[in-house]
Amino acid sequence: MAFRKFLPLFDRVLVERLAAETVTKGGIMLPEKSQGKVLQATVLAVGPGNRTKAGDLQPVSVKAGDRVLLPEYGGTKVTLDDKEYFLFRDGDILGKYLE
Amino acid sequence: MAFRKFLPLFDRVLVERLAAETVTKGGIMLPEKSQGKVLQATVLAVGPGNRTKAGDLQPVSVKAGDRVLLPEYGGTKVTLDDKEYFLFRDGDILGKYLE
Amino acid sequence: MAFRKFLPLFDRVLVERLAAETVTKGGIMLPEKSQGKVLQATVLAVGPGNRTKAGDLQPVSVKAGDRVLLPEYGGTKVTLDDKEYFLFRDGDILGKYLE
Amino acid sequence: MAFRKFLPLFDRVLVERLAAETVTKGGIMLPEKSQGKVLQATVLAVGPGNRTKAGDLQPVSVKAGDRVLLPEYGGTKVTLDDKEYFLFRDGDILGKYLE
Amino acid sequence: MAFRKFLPLFDRVLVERLAAETVTKGGIMLPEKSQGKVLQATVLAVGPGNRTKAGDLQPVSVKAGDRVLLPEYGGTKVTLDDKEYFLFRDGDILGKYLE
Amino acid sequence: MAFRKFLPLFDRVLVERLAAETVTKGGIMLPEKSQGKVLQATVLAVGPGNRTKAGDLQPVSVKAGDRVLLPEYGGTKVTLDDKEYFLFRDGDILGKYLE
Amino acid sequence: MAFRKFLPLFDRVLVERLAAETVTKGGIMLPEKSQGKVLQATVLAVGPGNRTKAGDLQPVSVKAGDRVLLPEYGGTKVTLDDKEYFLFRDGDILGKYLE
């Protein structure tokens, strides 16, 4: 997979958004336009982290495989092997879902 | 409950606003529009906290179960299992009610 | 009293403004509109304080019972048990009156 | 005197502006409008100072009785016992006159 | 080559963008205008890095020969021996492709 | 002289601008309007300096008697005994002329 | 030479821009207007450097005699003995040419 050959730098986190729900709970098909932006995503790769003022490396707080909740805005779209991923700063990710 | 499977990151605090008062003290029914935004809330989950410049972890100053007073503005709306919660930064919460 | 059950967070200070002067020194009744905002207040409760960059707790520089001089602007209005109080940051309080 | 019962907080300095010159050197009476803002003042009381990032207290660099030169702008007007004083931050005071 | 005689300063990284794709996967010739800005680049030279607040040198996180992903915007165009290169700050480079 | 009785505070430097050239090299009288602002000046008095984050005093980098080059803009006009001087921050002075 | 008697302060670097190319490679005379701003320059003198937060002196990263690449914008024009030089901050200089 493309991202395995891609290492985000510093405190960046490479994520893939989950597929949008195309059918409501009640079974009604959702037209694409009304499928809001998906805020749940899976972490694919993480950078080494940032350095504190004192120069120590501070690792990122999520790891590959984590399911996370993204903020509504922000992030950088990244295309790897024609597939669309996103890069977020560790500090901008709202939280993670515990198994 | 949804939030038990959700861990806020850094110094974020997951809260649920108390139900709005629908009846005045004098017993008069309040139309929904005039029910102001509820600023009291219960803490459901807290993140691990932020790191100081020196790199030490500084825990959040509220814990699950605390009843807190939210600021008028700010916070991020979060939907977990179709229920509406809010994420606030620890530093933005005004205070907590002591038992 | 309501505030006794309320603990401000970080370096916030809960104050109650003194009652506005309704009569001039010369004994003339002041219409409410011309009673300026009262800048003297009593400290009711204080937060634990902020942490320095190094992570040490730096206590607030006023304590409950102090009479202080508030800045003209700023502060957050807080209603506790239907009474109006204000929250100021320790650093925004101009000074305190010595007994 | 009012200020003796008032302690500025942090790095604030309570000053009283010198009386404006009402007569030019040549003896001509100055109409009030053309008496510019007086920038010389006497220090009446000083706060304890600010804390450095490391948390140490850094005292204010002027003391009661010093005659100082104020900047053209800034400062907070403070009324104590119906008399007008000003609060300046230590760092905003331009300099002091040596005896 | 020109860049061998050029040393970027501080945390700057000298890169050369890969040649733009002139033919689509399906073999269709792309007019120059529709060839988007190429975001993949090769690192040619790196500066010594920045100093942390404490004064220690913090080396750059990429090295000559690395293939990197540039942000959409930013960077400084630099002409060396009539050839076009770009200078980016280490912190602005999104990630690097692993061999 | 007035300035001897005046001590700038913190990292401020009291300077006196050199007299403007009224005659060109070729001996032509310059109308006052076209005499640009004089950027050369003599240092008359310096403040004790600023404190680093750690609280140590960092002396000013020029001393009384130095001839310095002022920036085009900035500085605070100060009148001492009816004479016009200027206060600049140590960090804003561009350089000094070596004997 | 004028600059030998001039010492830039802090992290400032005094440079002289190389003469603009008046003839193209093909030998065509360039009208002055189309001679772009010259971005190559020679370092004439450097300041002692800045202090880190901790108060240690951090020397400038270029020295007299270095040939450097200037950014398109910024810098302060300085006239010494009627000759035009420029002052740049060490951190704004893009890179240096190695012999």
Side-chain angles (χ1 to χ4, degrees):
Chain A
M1 279 195 278
F3 63 84
R4 198 143 289 124
K5 295 177 295 169
F6 179 77
L7 174 71
L9 286 179
F10 292 94
D11 64 337
R12 290 186 184 87
V13 176
L14 186 73
V15 300
E16 185 177 20
R17 292 182 191 269
L18 272 63
E21 310 269 355
T22 54
V23 180
T24 66
K25 296 233 170 179
I28 302 160
M29 285 286 298
L30 278 171
E32 199 169 335
K33 214 165 44 50
S34 77
Q35 293 161 11
K37 193 197 289 182
V38 175
L39 298 184
Q40 285 77 15
T42 308
V43 174
L44 302 181
V46 299
N50 268 338
R51 290 197 177 274
T52 66
K53 295 263 175 200
D56 312 321
L57 193 64
Q58 194 178 302
V60 160
S61 59
V62 292
K63 63 185 180 321
D66 280 351
R67 197 140 74 75
V68 294
L69 180 65
L70 302 176
E72 183 102 33
Y73 304 104
T76 306
K77 195 157 66 170
V78 164
T79 310
L80 299 170
D81 291 358
D82 300 332
K83 258 196 91 182
E84 193 179 272
Y85 301 99
F86 286 84
L87 277 173
F88 280 86
R89 297 280 182 170
D90 183 28
D92 293 338
I93 296 176
L94 299 182
K96 60 184 177 185
Y97 296 89
L98 306 179
E99 295 323 305
Chain B
M1 282 196 279
F3 62 85
R4 195 142 291 122
K5 296 177 296 168
F6 179 77
L7 174 71
L9 286 179
F10 292 94
D11 65 338
R12 291 185 183 88
V13 175
L14 186 73
V15 300
E16 185 177 20
R17 292 182 192 269
L18 270 64
E21 309 269 356
T22 54
V23 180
T24 65
K25 296 233 171 182
I28 303 162
M29 284 287 296
L30 278 170
E32 198 169 335
K33 214 162 49 46
S34 77
Q35 292 161 9
K37 193 197 287 183
V38 176
L39 299 184
Q40 285 77 15
T42 309
V43 173
L44 303 179
V46 299
N50 268 338
R51 291 198 176 273
T52 65
K53 296 263 175 200
D56 312 322
L57 194 64
Q58 194 177 301
V60 160
S61 59
V62 292
K63 64 186 181 320
D66 280 353
R67 200 141 72 77
V68 294
L69 180 64
L70 302 176
E72 182 101 34
Y73 304 104
T76 306
K77 195 156 70 171
V78 165
T79 310
L80 298 170
D81 291 357
D82 299 332
K83 260 196 88 182
E84 193 179 272
Y85 301 99
F86 286 84
L87 278 173
F88 279 87
R89 297 280 183 172
D90 183 28
D92 293 338
I93 295 176
L94 300 181
K96 60 184 177 186
Y97 296 89
L98 306 178
E99 295 323 305
Chain C
M1 283 195 279
F3 63 84
R4 194 143 292 120
K5 296 177 295 166
F6 179 76
L7 174 72
L9 286 179
F10 293 94
D11 64 337
R12 292 185 182 87
V13 176
L14 186 73
V15 301
E16 184 176 21
R17 291 180 192 269
L18 270 63
E21 309 269 357
T22 54
V23 180
T24 66
K25 297 235 171 180
I28 302 161
M29 286 286 296
L30 277 171
E32 199 169 332
K33 213 164 47 50
S34 78
Q35 291 162 11
K37 195 196 287 183
V38 176
L39 299 184
Q40 285 78 15
T42 309
V43 174
L44 303 180
V46 299
N50 268 337
R51 291 198 177 273
T52 65
K53 295 264 176 202
D56 312 322
L57 194 65
Q58 194 178 301
V60 161
S61 58
V62 292
K63 63 185 180 322
D66 280 352
R67 198 141 73 77
V68 295
L69 180 64
L70 302 175
E72 181 101 35
Y73 304 104
T76 306
K77 195 156 69 171
V78 164
T79 310
L80 298 170
D81 291 359
D82 299 334
K83 260 196 87 181
E84 194 179 271
Y85 302 99
F86 287 84
L87 277 173
F88 279 87
R89 297 279 182 173
D90 182 28
D92 294 338
I93 295 176
L94 299 182
K96 59 183 177 186
Y97 297 89
L98 307 178
E99 295 325 304
Chain D
M1 283 195 279
F3 63 84
R4 195 142 293 122
K5 295 177 295 170
F6 179 77
L7 172 73
L9 286 178
F10 293 94
D11 64 338
R12 293 186 182 86
V13 176
L14 186 74
V15 300
E16 184 176 22
R17 291 182 193 271
L18 270 64
E21 311 267 358
T22 54
V23 180
T24 66
K25 298 236 171 176
I28 301 163
M29 285 287 296
L30 277 171
E32 198 169 333
K33 211 161 46 53
S34 76
Q35 290 161 12
K37 194 196 288 184
V38 175
L39 299 183
Q40 285 78 16
T42 309
V43 174
L44 303 180
V46 300
N50 268 338
R51 291 199 178 273
T52 65
K53 295 266 175 199
D56 311 322
L57 194 64
Q58 194 178 302
V60 161
S61 58
V62 292
K63 61 185 181 324
D66 279 353
R67 197 140 74 78
V68 294
L69 179 65
L70 302 175
E72 181 103 35
Y73 304 104
T76 306
K77 194 157 69 173
V78 165
T79 311
L80 298 170
D81 292 358
D82 298 334
K83 259 197 88 182
E84 195 178 88
Y85 302 98
F86 287 85
L87 278 172
F88 279 86
R89 297 280 183 172
D90 182 29
D92 294 338
I93 295 177
L94 299 182
K96 57 184 176 185
Y97 296 90
L98 307 178
E99 294 327 304
Chain E
M1 279 195 279
F3 63 83
R4 199 144 287 124
K5 294 177 297 168
F6 178 78
L7 174 71
L9 286 178
F10 292 93
D11 64 339
R12 290 186 184 85
V13 176
L14 186 73
V15 300
E16 184 177 19
R17 291 182 192 269
L18 271 65
E21 310 268 355
T22 54
V23 179
T24 67
K25 296 235 170 175
I28 303 161
M29 285 286 297
L30 279 170
E32 199 169 334
K33 216 167 41 54
S34 77
Q35 293 162 10
K37 194 196 291 181
V38 175
L39 299 184
Q40 285 78 16
T42 308
V43 173
L44 302 181
V46 300
N50 268 337
R51 290 195 177 275
T52 65
K53 295 267 175 197
D56 312 321
L57 194 63
Q58 194 179 302
V60 161
S61 59
V62 292
K63 62 185 181 322
D66 280 352
R67 198 139 74 75
V68 293
L69 180 64
L70 302 176
E72 182 102 34
Y73 305 104
T76 307
K77 194 157 67 170
V78 165
T79 311
L80 298 169
D81 291 357
D82 299 333
K83 258 196 88 181
E84 194 179 271
Y85 301 99
F86 287 84
L87 278 172
F88 280 86
R89 297 281 182 170
D90 182 28
D92 293 337
I93 295 175
L94 299 182
K96 60 184 176 186
Y97 296 90
L98 306 179
E99 295 324 306
Chain F
M1 283 195 279
F3 63 84
R4 195 143 293 121
K5 295 177 296 167
F6 178 77
L7 172 73
L9 287 178
F10 293 93
D11 64 338
R12 293 186 182 86
V13 176
L14 186 73
V15 301
E16 184 176 22
R17 290 182 193 270
L18 271 63
E21 311 267 359
T22 54
V23 179
T24 66
K25 298 236 168 173
I28 302 162
M29 286 286 298
L30 277 170
E32 197 169 335
K33 213 163 43 54
S34 76
Q35 292 161 12
K37 194 196 291 184
V38 175
L39 300 183
Q40 285 78 16
T42 309
V43 173
L44 303 180
V46 300
N50 267 337
R51 290 197 179 274
T52 65
K53 295 266 176 199
D56 312 322
L57 194 64
Q58 195 179 303
V60 161
S61 58
V62 291
K63 61 184 181 326
D66 279 354
R67 198 140 73 77
V68 294
L69 179 64
L70 301 175
E72 181 104 35
Y73 305 103
T76 307
K77 193 154 71 173
V78 164
T79 311
L80 298 170
D81 292 358
D82 300 334
K83 260 196 85 182
E84 195 179 86
Y85 301 98
F86 287 85
L87 277 173
F88 279 86
R89 296 281 181 171
D90 181 29
D92 295 337
I93 295 176
L94 299 182
K96 58 184 176 185
Y97 296 89
L98 307 178
E99 295 327 303
Chain G
M1 281 195 282
F3 62 84
R4 198 144 290 123
K5 294 177 296 167
F6 178 77
L7 173 72
L9 287 178
F10 292 93
D11 64 338
R12 292 186 183 86
V13 176
L14 186 72
V15 300
E16 185 177 21
R17 292 183 191 268
L18 271 64
E21 311 267 357
T22 54
V23 180
T24 66
K25 297 235 169 174
I28 301 161
M29 284 287 297
L30 278 170
E32 199 170 333
K33 217 167 39 56
S34 76
Q35 291 161 12
K37 193 196 292 181
V38 176
L39 300 183
Q40 286 78 16
T42 308
V43 174
L44 302 180
V46 300
N50 268 337
R51 289 195 179 275
T52 66
K53 295 268 176 197
D56 312 322
L57 194 63
Q58 196 179 302
V60 161
S61 58
V62 291
K63 61 183 181 327
D66 279 353
R67 198 139 73 76
V68 294
L69 180 64
L70 301 176
E72 181 103 35
Y73 304 104
T76 307
K77 193 155 69 171
V78 165
T79 311
L80 298 169
D81 292 358
D82 300 333
K83 259 195 87 182
E84 195 180 270
Y85 301 99
F86 287 84
L87 278 172
F88 279 86
R89 297 281 182 169
D90 181 28
D92 294 337
I93 295 175
L94 300 181
K96 59 184 175 187
Y97 296 90
L98 307 178
E99 295 325 305

